[in-house]
C-alpha cells in the first residue's frame, strides 16, 4: 500500500503491503463509482488514481473551531505529525476577521465576547481584561469587569488583540506544520474503519487533482453553511442586477459608506441584532463625527418594548427574561451565561426532541448588547429626526428614478418609502444541506439532523450515525446548533466542544488526559510563550 508522508509530501511504499498507487498515470479524481458509494475501500480509492495520505486525526475547516481543537490536542501531547488541518485559509482567524470587518467591527473595535473566552488560552486566565490592563498600564478594564453590567457595560475585547493572541498561540503550537491547503468536498466512511477525506489542493500543488486523507478520526468545523437573503431582497438583486445599493452586512459594502460621506442620502437598515447595532454605529459615527448627512430608517419586523424572551413573548418566565426597549431585545452575550457552565447547560444535556427545540427558542432570538454609547447616539438621532423607526415588512422593492422604492407593510397599512441604499442585517443562515460537504454527509455519511435542523451530535460532539469501525467523526461550531450544548458558535462554545472532543480522544488512547499536573505545566509553557 502506498502512503504519502504528510510532513514531506513524498510517496513511499509500506514494507510488505500492496501498493495501491496505479502503475500508469491517472487523473487522480473522484469517479462516479466513488461518488455513488457510501463506504469506500482502499482499492476503490487507489483505482481512481488518488494518492492516500495516512494521518490519525483530520480537522476540516481551518477556522477558529479547528484551531482550538488542535490547540487542545497539542496541549494533550499529540504531535503535529499526527494532525492535519485541511483548509483553504492561511490563518485560523481569517474568515472571522473578514466577517467582523465587513459588519463594522474592525481591529480597533470590540467584539461581543466575554473577558475569559479566549480561543488562544484554554484556561481563560489571565482574561482579556487583565491582559489589556497589563499592556496598557491602565486598570480601567479591571474596574469595568468588577462593576459590569450594573455600573458599566460588559467588558469585551478588541478584535485586533484577539487576532494577535490567536496568531501567537498558532506559532506556539506550530499550527502551520499541521495545515494542508485546499478545499474538502467529501468525507466518506472507510470499509474496515476510519474515514477518507478528499482534499482538492491548489492548482499545481500536487501531481493529481485530489488527495485522500485516510484517518481514524475526523473533525468538522466548517463554520456557517452560507448566507441566506430575505426573499424580497434576493428577488430585487437578481431581477435588477443591483448589488451596489442593496447589500448584506456580511458582504463587503464599504462603497456604501464612502458614497454617504459625499452625498446626502437615506439608508434603510433591516434587522435588530448585534450586526444592526454595529452598522448603525458606523452610520451614526459618520454623521456625528465626520459630517455625513445621512437619514436612517430602521425597520423592525418585531418591535420589542419591554421584558421578553427568545420567542418574542411579552410575558416571559420570570427567570428566563431579558430587557427590551425601542425595538431591541437586550442581552450581554449571544446566550445567557449559564449555558456555558450553569443550570441551563445541565438542563440542556438532558433534553431531547421537541423539548430541546422549545428551550432553544426561549433562550435564542435576535438580541444585542445594551451599550451606553449606542443609546446616546440613537436618542440624539430620534430627537433630531435623522434616525427614524418603522415596524413591519417589505412587500416589494422596485427601482424608482435612481432610488429604491420599498412598499412597507405595517399595522396601519402599506406605504411607500424611497431610499438610496438598503443594508440587510437580518443575518439569516442557509440550510446545512446547501453546504456541499454537509449535504454529502447527510446523503452518504449517515449524518442526521437535530431538533432544530442542524447536524445531530452527541454530548461528546460525535456526529451521530457516522461511526466507522474504530473511527469517530466529530463536529463543532454553528453547524451543530441545536445539540445538547447551546452556544456552540461562540469562542467559549468552540472551546467547550474542543475540550469534550479531546477528553473523548484521550479515553480512546489518542493523546493524554489534561489533568491537574499536565494542565499546570502546560499553562506555565503558555504563559512563557514556550513552543510545544
Amino acid at each position: 500500500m502506498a502512503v504519502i508522508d504528510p510532513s514531506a509530501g513524498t510517496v513511499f511504499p509500506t514494507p510488505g503491503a500492496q501498493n495501491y498507487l496505479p502503475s500508469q498515470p491517472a487523473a487522480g479524481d473522484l469517479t462516479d463509482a466513488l461518488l455513488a458509494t457510501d463506504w469506500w475501500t482502499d482499492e476503490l480509492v487507489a483505482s481512481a488514481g488518488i494518492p492516500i495520505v495516512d494521518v490519525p486525526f483530520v480537522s476540516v475547516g481551518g477556522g477558529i473551531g479547528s484551531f482550538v481543537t488542535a490547540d487542545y490536542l497539542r496541549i494533550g501531547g499529540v504531535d503535529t505529525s499526527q494532525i492535519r488541518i485541511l483548509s483553504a485559509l492561511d490563518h485560523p482567524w481569517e474568515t472571522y476577521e473578514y466577517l467582523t470587518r465587513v459588519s463594522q467591527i474592525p481591529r480597533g473595535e470590540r467584539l461581543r465576547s466575554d473577558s475569559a473566552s479566549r480561543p488562544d488560552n484554554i484556561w481563560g486566565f489571565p482574561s482579556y481584561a487583565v491582559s489589556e490592563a497589563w499592556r496598557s498600564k491602565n486598570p480601567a478594564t479591571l474596574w469595568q469587569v468588577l462593576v459590569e453590567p450594573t455600573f458599566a457595560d460588559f467588558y469585551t475585547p478588541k478584535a485586533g488583540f484577539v487576532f494577535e493572541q490567536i496568531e501567537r498561540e498558532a506559532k506556539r503550537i506550530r499550527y502551520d506544520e499541521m495545515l494542508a491547503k485546499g478545499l474538502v468536498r467529501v468525507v466518506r466512511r472507510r470499509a474496515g474503519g476510519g474515514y477518507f477525506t478528499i482534499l482538492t489542493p491548489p492548482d499545481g500543488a500536487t501531481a493529481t487533482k485530489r488527495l485522500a486523507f485516510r484517518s481514524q478520526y475526523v473533525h468538522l468545523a466548517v463554520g456557517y453553511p452560507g448566507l441566506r437573503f430575505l426573499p424580497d431582497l434576493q428577488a430585487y438583486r437578481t431581477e435588477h442586477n443591483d448589488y451596489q445599493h442593496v447589500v448584506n452586512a456580511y458582504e463587503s459594502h464599504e462603497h456604501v459608506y464612502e458614497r454617504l460621506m459625499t452625498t446626502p442620502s437615506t439608508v434603510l437598515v433591516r434587522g435588530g441584532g448585534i450586526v444592526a447595532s454595529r452598522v448603525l454605529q458606523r452610520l451614526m459615527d459618520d454623521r456625528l463625527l465626520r459630517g455625513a448627512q445621512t437619514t436612517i430608517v430602521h425597520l423592525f419586523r418585531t418591535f420589542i418594548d419591554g421584558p421578553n424572551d427568545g420567542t418574542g413573548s411579552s410575558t416571559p418566565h420570570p427567570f428566563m427574561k431579558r430587557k427590551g426597549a425601542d425595538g431591541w431585545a437586550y442581552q450581554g452575550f449571544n446566550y445567557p451565561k449559564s449555558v456555558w457552565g450553569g443550570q441551563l447547560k445541565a438542563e440542556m444535556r438532558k433534553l431531547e426532541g421537541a423539548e430541546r427545540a422549545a428551550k432553544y427558542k426561549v433562550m435564542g432570538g435576535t438580541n444585542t448588547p445594551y451599550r451606553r454609547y449606542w443609546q446616546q447616539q440613537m436618542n440624539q438621532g430620534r430627537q433630531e429626526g435623522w434616525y427614524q423607526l418603522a415596524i413591519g415588512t417589505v412587500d416589494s422593492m422596485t427601482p424608482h428614478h435612481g432610488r429604491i422604492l420599498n412598499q412597507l407593510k405595517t399595522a396601519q397599512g402599506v406605504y411607500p418609502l424611497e431610499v438610496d441604499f438598503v443594508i440587510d442585517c437580518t443575518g439569516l443562515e442557509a440550510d446545512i444541506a446547501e453546504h456541499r460537504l454537509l449535504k454529502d454527509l447527510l446523503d452518504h455519511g449517515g449524518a442526521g439532523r437535530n431538533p432544530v435542523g442542524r447536524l445531530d451530535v452527541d454530548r461528546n460532539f460525535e456526529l451521530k450515525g457516522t461511526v466507522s469501525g474504530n473511527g469517530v467523526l466529530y463536529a463543532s461550531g454553528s453547524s451543530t446548533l441545536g445539540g445538547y450544548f447551546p452556544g456552540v458558535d461562540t469562542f467559549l462554545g468552540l472551546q467547550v466542544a474542543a475540550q469534550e472532543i479531546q477528553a473523548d480522544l484521550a479515553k480512546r488512547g489518542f493523546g493524554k488526559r489534561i489533568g491537574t499536573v499536565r494542565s499546570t505545566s502546560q499553562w506555565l509553557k503558555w504563559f512563557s510563550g514556550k513552543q510545544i
Side-chain angles (χ1 to χ4, degrees), residues 326-356:
D326 302 316
W328 303 92
Y330 291 119
Q331 183 169 284
F333 303 100
N334 301 59
Y335 290 90
K337 282 195 171 184
S338 58
V339 305
W340 289 288
Q343 70 271 26
L344 272 179
K345 180 182 179 183
E347 181 181 359
M348 292 298 291
R349 289 179 75 89
K350 301 175 184 177
L351 295 181
E352 302 287 349
E355 285 187 317
R356 198 193 318 157

Side-chain angles (χ1 to χ4, degrees), residues 276-302:
S277 297
R278 299 301 320 204
V279 167
L280 286 176
Q281 181 188 340
R282 172 66 186 274
L283 293 170
M284 293 180 179
D285 279 347
D286 284 350
R287 181 181 176 103
L288 296 173
L289 305 177
R290 303 178 187 96
Q293 295 298 306
T294 305
T295 298
I296 304 166
V297 180
H298 188 186
L299 180 63
F300 288 95
R301 183 185 182 95
T302 302

